Amino acid sequence: MNQPNRPLPEELEGWKRTHTCNELNADHLGEEVCLMGWVQYRRDHGGIIFIDLRDREGLTQVVFYPEIAPQAHAKAHVLRTEFVLAIRGRVEKRPADMVNEKMRTGEIEIQITDFKILNHAETPPFMIEDRMDVSENLRLKYRYLDLRRPSVASNLILRSKITASVRRYLEQLGFLEVETPMLTRSTPEGARDFLVPSRINQSEFYALPQSPQLFKQLLMCGGLDRYFQIVKCFRDEDLRADRQPEFTQIDIEMSFVEEEAVMNMAEEMVRKLFQETLNYELPASFQRMTYDEAIASYGLDKPDIRFDLLLHDVTDIVHGSEFKLFANAELVKAIKVDGGSSLSRKAIDDLTNFVRVYGAQGLAWIKIKEDEWQSPIAKFLSQEERDGLQKRLGLKTEDIVFFQAGPADMVNTALGYLRLELGKIFNLIPEEQFLPVWITDFPLLEWDEDGKRWAAKHHPFTSVQPRHLQTLSENPGQAKARAYDLVLNGNEIGGGSIRIHSPEMQQVMFKALGIGEEEAEEKFGFLLDALKFGAPPHGGIAFGLDRLAMLMAKARSIRDVIAFPKTQKATCLMTEAPARVSSTQLRELGIRLREKTEAS
Ligand code: ASP
């Protein structure tokens, strides 16, 4: 807002910065320097004025002495928080009682000789400090102010280091960075597309890519051999959990490779990334686990392997039990917490509500006490069942066991997430550790209950394992894919596969997915054509950059590592997108809104 009485800012007129606000220390004593930045605080101390000057890197204390620089001192009285300054002065040692050992610049201060007010600032809607209590919505509305907070900026600095490290690594391995279209056809990652109406071709729409999957395969068909791109992808999903409608992938594809080559390349990339940006050593070789093993022991295909607390199948032991829920269940699994029997009834009730979110009806539990099993279900369990459980779970006094019984998917999911919750409650997770694990041998297909058909678990261009070719037609659900995911601390950070590179195999896959020849031709004709003209064997992987950066920054949400994120309702509070458009714009596109009131 223009305030008429606001004085005009001063021009730089040749002043140049010599240092950042986080650089100067006792080694620079006596130097004449020039810093630029924002006023963090201003304090007046018996005639002397202090300010903390802030830039992206940190803070430096600046002092105005009336005797040394009377003019500057007089002018300093107008300074307020967030004014933008250029200062010139000399680096001096701080008086002993003002030394701040926690700050990099805490030993020195700048004795000002001259300064310029490069801009004025109104009082910001919140203080630009790390420890401040302000709603995320307000922060997002004024994101440019939020970004001035060092902790927010440091996430973006880390993110930039991550992409720089990835580029360095891939470049040196001969990968080419190639851009692929944003205005394209619908791609088949399985989410809803964002559509863009075409003005020139009315009634027709582009789709924003859910990933560059087909293009990167076509680049391999084009002989480009090794491709990567740090690229925006768009999926119009309901933003439950921590998702964004637009997100960034590190997208990679290679020719003439099998699983080992892609996984080794990706593993080394991630290891380098952690070394170069966090100075953190990941294991020399990442652990591997099949999908079936992950589900069996952890309940989830993205296991957090930093702590044990494994799931145990006890279906055989309690089959036919007097406890009706166990008697005929497809799957009964148990999880035991050593010494966990002190858990209160209230805590157990909370856990029962917790598992309901995953479709569980309730949560059976047993506390192993010195002389009895304390549990609402104990009276239904025979001695044989008790002995069986005791042996399989290695039960000891003061342990607590939780059970889940029912359809396999629900049991695994509910107990899988319960395991994570128990890990938190009992402090079993080494929070400082990063521990990656590869998950391999994924099922090729999964049953889509709504559509009553098989759907691709990864995507329709993923190869079936050669030994499961037969299985694909005989027992589709059992066929394994040449797909792999990289999981870090319970988060899927990357996933990829060896692709189908023959048109015949691609047709077999389409058939398994219930996509007829005509539909395949209409939707993916260009891919089928490309595969006919000598496509090389190829495979790749894509990493979710936002999630990876979030984990590395130890941030709470991916919004914290995105410069301008959207809210859970997919809106941008700063620009107020999405927004209505003018009727002229709509008319040009040949679009009429269905609402009663036409857009203005
Ligand atoms: N395009 C895939 C995805 O977005 C990743 C890949 O297969 O490379 O999930």
Side-chain angles (χ1 to χ4, degrees), residues 472-509:
L472 182 55
S473 47
E474 288 166 2
N475 192 354
Q478 292 302 312
K480 299 285 191 218
R482 299 183 71 178
Y484 32 80
D485 274 2
L486 188 61
V487 171
L488 180 66
N489 296 358
N491 296 268
E492 183 207 322
I493 56 163
S497 61
I498 298 301
R499 326 297 184 189
I500 297 168
H501 70 285
S502 86
E504 294 76 20
M505 262 317 293
Q506 191 60 69
Q507 286 290 17
V508 170
M509 180 66 171

Side-chain angles (χ1 to χ4, degrees), residues 38 40 54-58 82 126-130 132 138-157 159 559-565 574:
W38 288 261
Q40 171 86 21
R54 184 194 66 237
D55 68 7
R56 186 182 91 183
E57 305 295 326
E82 300 314 310
F126 50 84
M127 282 295 284
I128 317 291
E129 297 176 330
D130 275 344
M132 49 154 213
L138 193 64
R139 288 174 43 199
L140 290 181
K141 182 168 162 57
Y142 297 96
R143 183 62 163 173
Y144 46 88
L145 294 180
D146 196 31
L147 290 174
R148 287 188 198 164
R149 294 166 55 219
S151 64
V152 183
S154 73
N155 287 344
L156 294 185
I157 294 171
R159 188 177 168 122
R559 292 189 294 280
D560 293 342
V561 294
I562 297 174
F564 299 104
M574 188 181 66

Side-chain angles (χ1 to χ4, degrees), residues 342-380:
S342 54
L343 216 58
S344 68
R345 271 312 274 264
K346 161 88 174 62
I348 296 179
D349 287 347
D350 288 347
L351 290 174
T352 309
N353 287 330
F354 175 86
V355 290
R356 280 191 221 283
V357 177
Y358 304 99
Q361 310 263 313
L363 181 65
W365 54 270
I366 302 174
K367 287 180 177 179
I368 315 295
K369 293 291 181 186
E370 189 70 53
D371 39 12
E372 56 158 359
W373 283 16
Q374 240 177 45
S375 160
I377 69 164
K379 57 177 178 290
F380 301 109

Side-chain angles (χ1 to χ4, degrees), residues 71-85:
Q71 273 186 338
H73 180 267
K75 190 168 129 191
H77 280 103
V78 301
L79 296 182
R80 299 278 177 276
T81 355
E82 300 314 310
F83 272 36
V84 190
L85 305 188

Side-chain angles (χ1 to χ4, degrees), residues 189 211 213 216 235 249 251 458-459 495-497 499 540-542:
E189 258 73 25
S211 89
Q213 183 59 36
K216 66 175 174 173
R235 298 183 191 175
Q249 281 189 349
D251 196 39
H458 189 49
H459 53 54
S497 61
R499 326 297 184 189
I541 190 163

